C-alpha cells in the first residue's frame, strides 16, 4: 500500500484537516494508496509558499541557462525512474504499462524540450521611431501558476504545464486529479531531488471544488492553467476574474476521423482503431466520430467490426492486454448511459454497448469496444464527448458535406482525414475548424508543435515555443538617450 503526502514549501505534509482519500485501482477496485485529502486551507498554504518563492526573486532571477539545467535534470530523473513511474500510472489509471511507458518517454522529452528553450529567447529589439533611443521587448515569468490536471493522462498533462512554467521562471502549485495523484507525487519527489529552491514546486491533493477552486479564485495566483472538462473550464474562467489572472484552458474534444473513398483502406482501418482505443477511449483527441464516404462505408464497417471483436481487455500489467478499464464506477455509468439514448435517437449498436460478462473483468470498470452505426450529426452520441471505447459511424457522400458536418460541433480540438488526393489535402485541412488536423494519420502529437483547441475546446496553446510563451509576460522597455524638454505645460503662463 502506497502512502502519499503533499509537498508544500519544501516539506512533505498531511492535510491540515487530517483527512485522507483511498486511491482505487480501476482494474479490480482494490485500494492501492492512501493520500491526504487537501482542502482550501492546504491550497492557501501552498499558494502562500509559491508567492513568497516568486516574490523573493531567487528563482525568477536565476539565469535562464541554469533554470534550463535543472529542468533537464528532472528529465533525466524521469528517465532513470521510467519503469516505476509507468507502473504507478498504470496502477492508477488501468491503462496498459506499454502505453504508460510511451507516456513516460514523452514526458522526459517534454522536460528536455523546455529545458532547451529556457535560454533561447533573448528578447527583441524594436525599430524605435524616436531618435537616439532603444526599444526592447523582453519576456518575464508571470508569477505564481496554479496547474489543475485531469485523470486520463495524469503525468503527461501535468508535465505540459510544469515544464514550461519552471523553464520560464515561475513558481507552481500543482493539483492533479484527486483520483490519480500517484505519478504527480513521484515527480514532485524527483523535483525535490533536483534541488529547485524552496517553494518553487508545490503539490496539493484534493477535490476540485476545494483545492481547484482556491487556486482559481485566489488573488495571489497570477495564472491558472487547466486541463479537463468544458463545464469545469467555464467555472474556472469565471473564478479567475477575481484578479483577472491569466487563464489557459485545454478542454474536451469530439474529433472527426474522416475516411474518403480514395484512402489507403487498410492503413485507415488500422488507424480508426488506434484513434479510439488507446486508454479505452479516454483521450481528449480520440477519433470517436468516424465519418465514412459512401463508396467504402459498408466494407469499412464490416472490417472494423471484425478487428474490434478481437480487442483483448484485461489487466494493464498483462502482456497481451490491449485495452484496460475505464477510470471509475461513475465514469463507467456515464459511458453506459449514452447507449439507450443512441438507440432512441435511431442509431444501431452493432457491437458492444455493455459491460463484459467475463468474470475477471466484472471486478473492474470495463466496457466493451462499441461500434454504433447509422448515426447522424444531430444525435447526442455524436455531439457529446463520451470518453469511452465507443465509435459512432456517419455516412457521407461529398467533400463539401463532410466538412460542413464535421465542423458542426461546439468542439474544435482535433480532426483527421484520409485521402490520396493532394488538392483535397490542402482544401480540407484549411476548411476544418480544429486546433490540430491530421492528414493520413491520427493522434500524433509532439512537444515541438503547439496543441490546443478552437471554439469551446480551449483557450491558448500548450507545447511548442508558444507553450513557453504562455508562461511569460511581455514587457516593453524604452530608453531615451537624449530626452529634450517638451515645455507643453505651465511654461507660457497662460
Ligand atoms: P474534470 O473537469 O472533471 O476535472 C479536471 C480537474 O479539474 C481535476 O483535477 C478536478 O479535480 C478539477 N476540478 C473539478 N472541479 C473543479 C472546480 N470547480 N474548480 C477547479 N478545479 C476543478 O475533468 P476530468 O474528468 O478529470 O478529465 C476529462 C476531461 O479532460 C475530458 O473532457 C477531456 O477531454 C479533457 N482533457 C482535455 C485535454 C486537452 O488537451 N484538451 C487533455 C486531457 C483531457
Amino acid at each position: 500500500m502506497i502512502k502519499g503526502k503533499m509537498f508544500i514549501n519544501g516539506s512533505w505534509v498531511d492535510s491540515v484537516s487530517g483527512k485522507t482519500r483511498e486511491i482505487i485501482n480501476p482494474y479490480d477496485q482494490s485500494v492501492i494508496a492512501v493520500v491526504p485529502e487537501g482542502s482550501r486551507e492546504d491550497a492557501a498554504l501552498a499558494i502562500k509558499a509559491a508567492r513568497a518563492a516568486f516574490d523573493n526573486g531567487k528563482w525568477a532571477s536565476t539565469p535562464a541557462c541554469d533554470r534550463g539545467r535543472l529542468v533537464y535534470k528532472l528529465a533525466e530523473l524521469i528517465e532513470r525512474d521510467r519503469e516505476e513511474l509507468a507502473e504507478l500510472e498504470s496502477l492508477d489509471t488501468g491503462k496498459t504499462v506499454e502505453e504508460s511507458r510511451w507516456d513516460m518517454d514523452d514526458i522526459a522529452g517534454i522536460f528536455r524540450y523546455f529545458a532547451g528553450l529556457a535560454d533561447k529567447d533573448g528578447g527583441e529589439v524594436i525599430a524605435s521611431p524616436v531618435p537616439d533611443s532603444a526599444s526592447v521587448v523582453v519576456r518575464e515569468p508571470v508569477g505564481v501558476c496554479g496547474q489543475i490536471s485531469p485523470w486520463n493522462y495524469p503525468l503527461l498533462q501535468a508535465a505540459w504545464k510544469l515544464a514550461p512554467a519552471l523553464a520560464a521562471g515561475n513558481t507552481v502549485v500543482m493539483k492533479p486529479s484527486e483520483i490519480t495523484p500517484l505519478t504527480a507525487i513521484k515527480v514532485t519527489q524527483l523535483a525535490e531531488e533536483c534541488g529547485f529552491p524552496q517553494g518553487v514546486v508545490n503539490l496539493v491533493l484534493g477535490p476540485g471544488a476545494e483545492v481547484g477552486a482556491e487556486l482559481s479564485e485566489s488573488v495571489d495566483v497570477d495564472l491558472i492553467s487547466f486541463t479537463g472538462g468544458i463545464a469545469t473550464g467555464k467555472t474556472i474562467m469565471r473564478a479567475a476574474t477575481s484578479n483577472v489572472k491569466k487563464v489557459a484552458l485545454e478542454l474536451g474534444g469530439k474529433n472527426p476521423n474522416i475516411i474518403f473513398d480514395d484512402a489507403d483502406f487498410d492503413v485507415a482501418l488500422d488507424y480508426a482503431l488506434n484513434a479510439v482505443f488507446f486508454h479505452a477511449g479516454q483521450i481528449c483527441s480520440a477519433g470517436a466520430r468516424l465519418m465514412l464516404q459512401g463508396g467504402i462505408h459498408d466494407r469499412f464497417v464490416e472490417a472494423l467490426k471484425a478487428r474490434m471483436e478481437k480487442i483483448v481487455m484485461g489487466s494493464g500489467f498483462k502482456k497481451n492486454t490491449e485495452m484496460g478499464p475505464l477510470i471509475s464506477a461513475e465514469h463507467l455509468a456515464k459511458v453506459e448511459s449514452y447507449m439507450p439514448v443512441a438507440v432512441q435517437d435511431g442509431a444501431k449498436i452493432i457491437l458492444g454497448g455493455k459491460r463484459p460478462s467475463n468474470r475477471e473483468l466484472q471486478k473492474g470498470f470495463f466496457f466493451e469496444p462499441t461500434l454504433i452505426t447509422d448515426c447522424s450529426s444531430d444525435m447526442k452520441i455524436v455531439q457529446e464527448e463520451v470518453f469511452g471505447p465507443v465509435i459512432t459511424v456517419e455516412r457521407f457522400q461529398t467533400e463539401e458535406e463532410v466538412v460542413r458536418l464535421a465542423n458542426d460541433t461546439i468542439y474544435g480540438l482535433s480532426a483527421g482525414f484520409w485521402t490520396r488526393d493532394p488538392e483535397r489535402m490542402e482544401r480540407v485541412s484549411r476548411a476544418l475548424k480544429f486546433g490540430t488536423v491530421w492528414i493520413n494519420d491520427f493522434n500524433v502529437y509532439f512537444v515541438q508543435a503547439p496543441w490546443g483547441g478552437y471554439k469551446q475546446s480551449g483557450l491558448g496553446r500548450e507545447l511548442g515555443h508558444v507553450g513557453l510563451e504562455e508562461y511569460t509576460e511581455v514587457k516593453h522597455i524604452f530608453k531615451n538617450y537624449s530626452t529634450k524638454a517638451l515645455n507643453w505645460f505651465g511654461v507660457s503662463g497662460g
Side-chain angles (χ1 to χ4, degrees):
M1 172 85 69
I2 299 165
K3 287 219 160 49
K5 296 231 183 210
M6 305 190 288
F7 192 66
I8 298 177
N9 204 21
S11 299
W12 290 97
V13 295
D14 291 318
S15 59
V16 173
S17 68
K19 281 192 188 155
T20 57
R21 172 188 288 261
E22 291 183 337
I23 303 301
I24 306 296
N25 182 344
Y27 163 66
D28 60 3
Q29 302 193 50
S30 57
V31 178
I32 46 177
V34 177
V35 300
E37 178 81 329
S39 66
R40 279 183 180 269
E41 238 181 309
D42 302 280
L45 289 172
I47 293 166
K48 195 171 165 207
R51 183 80 263 160
F54 187 76
D55 290 345
N56 73 26
K58 200 170 154 194
W59 179 239
S61 62
T62 298
C65 56
D66 292 337
R67 289 202 305 261
R69 200 177 303 155
L70 265 194
V71 174
Y72 198 91
K73 192 169 166 191
L74 187 48
E76 288 181 324
L77 296 186
I78 289 167
E79 261 172 353
R80 183 194 71 190
D81 293 351
R82 169 189 190 248
E83 199 56 29
E84 184 187 346
L85 279 162
E87 285 180 12
L88 282 174
E89 199 76 305
S90 286
L91 264 182
D92 224 354
T93 60
K95 69 170 75 170
T96 65
V97 184
E98 201 47 37
E99 274 188 52
S100 294
R101 288 191 188 110
W102 270 34
D103 291 352
M104 296 313 141
D105 292 342
D106 268 0
I107 290 162
I110 287 158
F111 282 96
R112 269 198 306 270
Y113 175 79
F114 285 109
L117 269 195
D119 64 355
K120 299 300 175 288
D121 185 348
E124 191 188 352
V125 178
I126 303 293
S128 165
V130 181
D132 294 328
S133 73
S135 177
V136 294
V137 173
V138 295
R139 286 187 175 269
E140 298 183 339
V142 177
V144 174
C145 301
Q147 307 193 324
I148 304 174
S149 41
W151 48 257
N152 64 333
Y153 281 80
L155 190 54
L156 189 76
Q157 296 303 327
W160 288 16
K161 304 178 189 310
L162 182 63
L166 291 176
N170 299 278
T171 61
V172 169
V173 180
M174 277 194 286
K175 188 224 134 0
S177 166
E178 55 274 34
I179 56 176
T180 55
L182 300 186
T183 45
I185 296 173
K186 173 71 188 168
V187 96
T188 307
Q189 289 166 352
L190 298 181
E192 185 188 22
E193 187 179 337
C194 283
F196 288 92
Q198 184 178 338
V200 169
V201 177
N202 301 275
L203 172 72
V204 184
L205 309 175
E210 283 279 322
V211 177
E214 184 66 24
L215 285 172
S216 331
E217 289 167 21
S218 170
V219 294
D220 282 324
V221 173
D222 303 301
L223 178 155
I224 190 89
S225 177
F226 168 77
T227 301
I230 286 188
T232 318
K234 288 180 179 174
T235 304
I236 287 172
M237 209 168 167
R238 279 191 292 270
T241 58
S242 61
N243 61 334
V244 197
K245 57 173 67 66
K246 287 182 117 195
V247 180
L249 302 174
E250 292 289 346
L251 307 178
K254 186 76 187 195
N255 315 283
N257 182 18
I258 303 163
I259 325 282
F260 288 99
D261 285 344
D262 70 337
D264 181 328
F265 186 94
D266 292 335
V267 180
L269 173 68
D270 191 57
Y271 272 75
L273 293 137
N274 290 345
V276 176
F277 296 112
F278 283 118
H279 198 13
Q282 301 166 112
I283 309 184
C284 53
S285 57
R289 184 180 180 191
L290 186 61
M291 307 179 86
L292 302 175
Q293 200 163 14
I296 50 143
H297 177 280
D298 295 353
R299 193 158 65 94
F300 202 95
V301 168
E302 205 178 303
L304 182 62
K305 180 165 175 272
R307 288 275 297 266
M308 284 173 62
E309 279 166 346
K310 293 190 201 144
I311 290 176
V312 179
M313 287 184 283
S315 159
F317 288 85
K318 272 197 201 145
K319 243 198 150 100
N320 67 336
T321 297
E322 294 175 328
M323 196 179 94
L326 297 174
I327 191 70
S328 64
E330 296 73 37
H331 190 56
L332 172 59
K334 182 191 150 196
V335 172
E336 200 171 24
S337 74
Y338 276 102
M339 300 302 122
V341 179
V343 172
Q344 220 166 27
D345 284 349
K348 289 192 185 125
I349 301 175
I350 64 162
L351 187 72
K354 57 184 179 10
R355 304 176 189 208
S357 49
N358 172 323
R359 227 173 177 194
E360 178 205 333
L361 302 182
Q362 282 180 351
K363 289 186 292 183
F365 308 126
F366 286 88
F367 196 75
E368 289 183 354
T370 297
L371 187 55
I372 308 182
T373 59
D374 298 82
C375 295
S376 57
S377 78
D378 55 347
M379 291 179 182
K380 194 170 167 181
I381 189 89
V382 173
Q383 286 295 332
E384 294 190 8
E385 187 184 39
V386 178
F387 226 52
V390 178
I391 298 180
T392 63
V393 184
E394 290 159 81
R395 186 196 295 261
F396 70 92
Q397 300 303 339
T398 67
E399 181 185 306
E400 194 195 9
E401 176 195 7
V402 78
V403 166
R404 180 175 46 80
L405 292 174
N407 284 334
D408 179 21
T409 162
I410 60 163
Y411 292 105
L413 190 59
S414 61
F417 65 95
W418 298 77
T419 181
R420 287 188 167 103
D421 177 345
E423 286 172 16
R424 172 178 281 158
M425 289 180 194
E426 187 59 27
R427 278 192 311 268
V428 175
S429 61
R430 296 302 180 129
L432 289 170
K433 303 293 175 220
F434 295 83
T436 295
V437 174
W438 295 294
I439 304 172
N440 295 336
D441 213 318
F442 212 95
N443 266 341
V444 213
Y445 95 93
F446 34 83
V447 63
Q448 292 82 359
W451 178 263
Y454 278 32
K455 303 187 202 169
Q456 294 190 36
S457 283
L459 193 63
R461 292 291 179 271
E462 293 191 298
L463 308 182
H465 62 83
V466 292
L468 185 71
E469 287 162 10
E470 293 267 358
Y471 284 93
T472 62
E473 285 282 13
V474 175
K475 182 181 278 177
H476 175 212
I477 302 174
F478 176 76
K479 193 192 290 177
N480 196 333
Y481 293 109
S482 58
T483 320
K484 308 268 185 310
L486 289 174
N487 290 327
W488 276 23
F489 300 105
V491 174
S492 63

